[in-house]
Amino acid sequence: MSFVEYSEGEPIPALRVTLKGGIKMVESMTMTIDEAAKVLGFSAAHIRRAIKNGELKAMESGRGFRISRPDLEAYYQSLGGGKLFNSEVEK
């Protein structure tokens, strides 16, 4: 299977820490194919095809792939969709 790779040295966001009611919340900035499919309401096969066709950036991780939130949102917007995630990080 072919896929779009990140350039060497290009940062891949992994975790975001936010404060909610004084409690630190750790939110993953990457997701699996199944998680991405649920977010978009697509099948996992659709997401795999988009990765294989180079339409969606993904990083190979173990036996699967990880997709960053910004890359998933960019793919969704390329299909005519809008914003998926709140990009503000609470301090």
Side-chain angles (χ1 to χ4, degrees), residues 20-89:
K20 293 194 182 205
I23 300 171
K24 278 189 177 181
M25 305 292 288
V26 178
E27 185 177 338
S28 176
M29 293 296 292
T30 63
M31 60 191 75
T32 64
I33 287 175
D34 288 338
E35 291 167 337
K38 285 180 186 176
V39 167
L40 297 183
F42 295 167
S43 68
H46 178 103
I47 299 298
R48 281 189 204 91
R49 240 184 339 270
I51 293 168
K52 181 179 179 182
N53 294 337
E55 300 166 358
L56 174 59
K57 278 187 170 184
M59 176 186 73
E60 195 163 10
S61 173
R63 296 184 333 210
F65 291 92
R66 298 296 294 182
I67 302 160
S68 74
R69 286 174 171 235
D71 288 334
L72 186 64
E73 187 167 73
Y75 172 67
Y76 185 63
Q77 290 174 345
S78 77
L79 299 175
K83 280 188 79 60
L84 291 174
F85 308 105
N86 180 2
S87 60
E88 293 179 26
V89 178

